[in-house]
Amino acid sequence: MSDIEKEILKSDHFCILPWIHLHVSQNGRVSPCCNNNRYLGNVQENPIKEIWKGRKFEKLRTQFQNSIPDKRCSHCFNIEVSGKESMRQISNQKYAKELSRINNNNPEPIYLDIRFSNICNFKCKTCWHGNSSSWFKEGSKRNASNERIIKAFTNNFDELLDYLDNVKEIYFAGGEPLIMDEHYQILEELEKRELFDIELRYNTNFSTLNFKDKSILEQWNKFKKVHVSASVDGSFNVGEEIREGFNWNKFIENRKQMLTVCPDIYFEVTPTVSSLNIFNLSQLHQELVNQQLTDINNIYLNFLERPSEFNLKSLSTEKKQKVENLILKHLQWLNKNSAGTSIVSQFKTLLNYLH
């Protein structure tokens, strides 16, 4: 790595994603990432290659290369201020070896994050119709379309397959990816091309392990690197109240089945930390560890930004003090059980974010 590249990585506003990452939301909209809604194009209107090489993408790359901040990157900036690593920082570190692509006039995406649709069997309190088809019947301002099902690709899905041979990582989220046809079409294409080295990452509600005649556990066993993040916000009835459709006992059953069929696949829980579950968070963590369903270090805390009424910062001073006492007690448990420094740091960062 050159000295110039090292300096770029140190920048407070540089992000490597525009050179490596293609993010397409459920309605076909292309953005820099899932946390930045800057409009770069729409795959329902233009070919992917045209968007990727287009003026808007190039303008974004020039901006980041010159370390000029984008106000729509506030999610990462807020996380960084609290002391927690942001998606920007994690991506820069993970793909530091790809910095030479900055000077490549024709870089190709090697990291895909395609939200194929809003199809989902859950109706979570912090979600909306754009991310979950289960919200459609409410007919409220949460609706993102007159149609229940929103799909990113209407007629040009095959165009996406052109990139697979050079891809290093695919991130599946939703909606719920494990009940989407397109997700399995991608896996079948990877298997057909024997591309088993590609890293597969998931954000899933982990409610079902079978889709039609397919077993996702059997599919995962074919790939060398699979990272499963289960979106579980709380244990027992707390989790069930936040995520309508979630069943704690079914989640436990699925996890035990996964440990039997593919025990070596990385598994973590990724609760969205909000005022809805903050008083149950330590119980969730301890319950999973005590049942030997996950390693003590395999939990990743996502701090909810929106809706703002559920943001931790909206809590009263009195409730914040109660949260602090709970987290401090949990930190004692972590230290007693020899948890790693990373997970201890996450919970300490939660206190910083809270205040």
Side-chain angles (χ1 to χ4, degrees):
M1 188 183 302
S2 68
D3 291 338
I4 294 177
E5 289 172 339
K6 290 179 181 178
E7 286 301 314
I8 290 175
L9 273 184
K10 291 179 182 178
S11 164
D12 290 335
H13 301 116
F14 172 77
C15 182
I16 197 171
L17 289 181
W19 285 271
I20 65 169
H21 177 61
L22 177 66
H23 171 73
V24 181
S25 65
Q26 294 88 340
N27 59 4
R29 183 186 177 104
V30 178
S31 305
C33 71
C34 60
N35 292 321
N36 183 319
N37 64 358
R38 181 168 174 167
Y39 182 75
L40 301 175
N42 194 302
V43 297
Q44 296 180 7
E45 301 168 1
N46 298 98
I48 295 175
K49 289 184 178 180
E50 185 177 306
I51 296 170
W52 181 259
K53 299 175 183 178
R55 180 183 59 82
K56 292 181 179 179
F57 238 123
E58 284 303 312
K59 185 177 179 180
L60 175 67
R61 293 179 184 124
T62 300
Q63 179 178 335
F64 282 179
Q65 189 172 358
N66 292 316
S67 194
I68 300 173
D70 188 316
K71 63 182 180 181
R72 286 153 290 201
C73 294
S74 60
H75 180 79
C76 277
F77 298 152
N78 289 339
I79 294 295
E80 291 167 18
V81 167
S82 72
K84 194 173 188 290
E85 275 194 325
S86 68
M87 181 177 177
R88 181 188 78 86
Q89 293 171 321
I90 293 171
S91 299
N92 285 349
Q93 293 170 15
K94 184 173 183 177
Y95 285 100
K97 293 182 180 179
E98 302 294 336
L99 277 175
S100 59
R101 296 164 65 87
I102 292 175
N103 299 316
N104 185 341
N105 293 326
N106 190 27
E108 294 288 335
I110 58 173
Y111 170 16
L112 303 180
D113 174 8
I114 315 297
R115 312 296 170 97
F116 295 109
S117 75
N118 70 332
I119 293 175
C120 188
N121 53 343
F122 280 15
K123 187 167 67 175
C124 307
K125 287 185 178 180
T126 57
C127 197
W128 69 303
H129 176 229
N131 287 335
S132 171
S133 54
S134 295
W135 268 110
F136 180 68
K137 289 184 179 179
E138 272 60 30
S140 68
K141 62 182 181 181
R142 286 174 176 257
N143 281 7
S145 168
N146 292 325
E147 300 293 330
R148 178 173 178 269
I149 304 299
I150 304 170
K151 292 210 169 191
F153 290 88
T154 53
N155 56 9
N156 56 341
F157 177 77
D158 289 346
E159 184 187 354
L160 184 65
L161 305 182
D162 294 339
Y163 292 99
L164 291 185
D165 288 328
N166 296 315
V167 163
K168 295 185 177 182
E169 177 180 353
I170 304 178
Y171 178 56
F172 296 104
E176 172 48 46
L178 299 187
I179 57 173
M180 293 182 189
D181 285 304
E182 296 90 341
H183 158 249
Y184 292 94
Q185 288 176 320
I186 292 291
L187 293 190
E188 289 171 3
E189 191 64 30
L190 294 177
E191 183 176 0
K192 178 181 176 182
R193 302 185 193 187
E194 298 184 350
L195 297 173
F196 299 113
D197 289 332
I198 290 179
E199 178 181 356
L200 304 180
R201 289 200 305 115
Y202 289 84
N203 185 292
T204 168
N205 62 36
F206 207 64
S207 61
T208 179
L209 302 178
N210 296 285
F211 179 71
K212 298 181 179 179
D213 61 341
K214 301 176 179 66
S215 163
I216 190 57
L217 299 182
E218 293 178 5
Q219 295 275 56
W220 284 342
N221 266 337
K222 299 173 185 178
F223 293 86
K224 294 182 179 179
K225 192 170 184 180
V226 179
H227 182 126
V228 179
S229 298
S231 297
V232 179
D233 286 346
S235 57
F236 302 101
N237 64 311
V238 174
E240 293 173 350
E241 288 174 1
I242 296 172
R243 294 180 179 266
E244 184 179 322
F246 174 70
N247 182 293
W248 172 257
N249 291 330
K250 181 61 177 176
F251 164 71
I252 299 297
E253 178 187 326
N254 286 346
R255 176 57 182 146
K256 288 180 178 178
Q257 185 179 349
M258 181 181 178
L259 283 168
T260 300
V261 179
C262 41
D264 297 326
I265 289 178
Y266 184 87
F267 178 88
E268 67 178 0
V269 289
T270 55
T272 299
V273 184
S274 70
S275 60
L276 297 170
N277 68 341
I278 188 60
F279 294 103
N280 177 262
L281 185 62
S282 57
Q283 181 184 351
L284 169 67
H285 192 189
Q286 293 179 31
E287 185 70 27
L288 294 174
V289 173
N290 290 338
Q291 290 197 44
Q292 297 183 324
L293 297 174
T294 186
D295 184 87
I296 194 170
N297 299 296
N298 290 9
I299 182 170
Y300 184 85
L301 308 181
N302 287 309
F303 300 158
L304 179 138
E305 289 278 321
R306 297 179 301 275
S308 58
E309 63 264 31
F310 299 135
N311 191 306
L312 291 180
K313 297 175 183 179
S314 68
L315 291 173
S316 66
T317 302
E318 182 181 358
K319 287 186 177 180
K320 285 183 179 180
Q321 186 58 56
K322 290 182 180 179
V323 170
E324 183 169 337
N325 293 338
L326 279 174
I327 299 304
L328 289 174
K329 186 176 180 180
H330 189 59
L331 285 168
Q332 292 177 353
W333 177 82
L334 289 172
N335 290 324
K336 181 181 178 181
N337 289 276
S338 304
T341 55
S342 178
I343 188 60
V344 170
S345 177
Q346 279 199 66
F347 278 93
K348 287 181 177 179
T349 299
L350 192 158
L351 294 178
N352 294 337
Y353 185 84
L354 179 70
H355 297 299

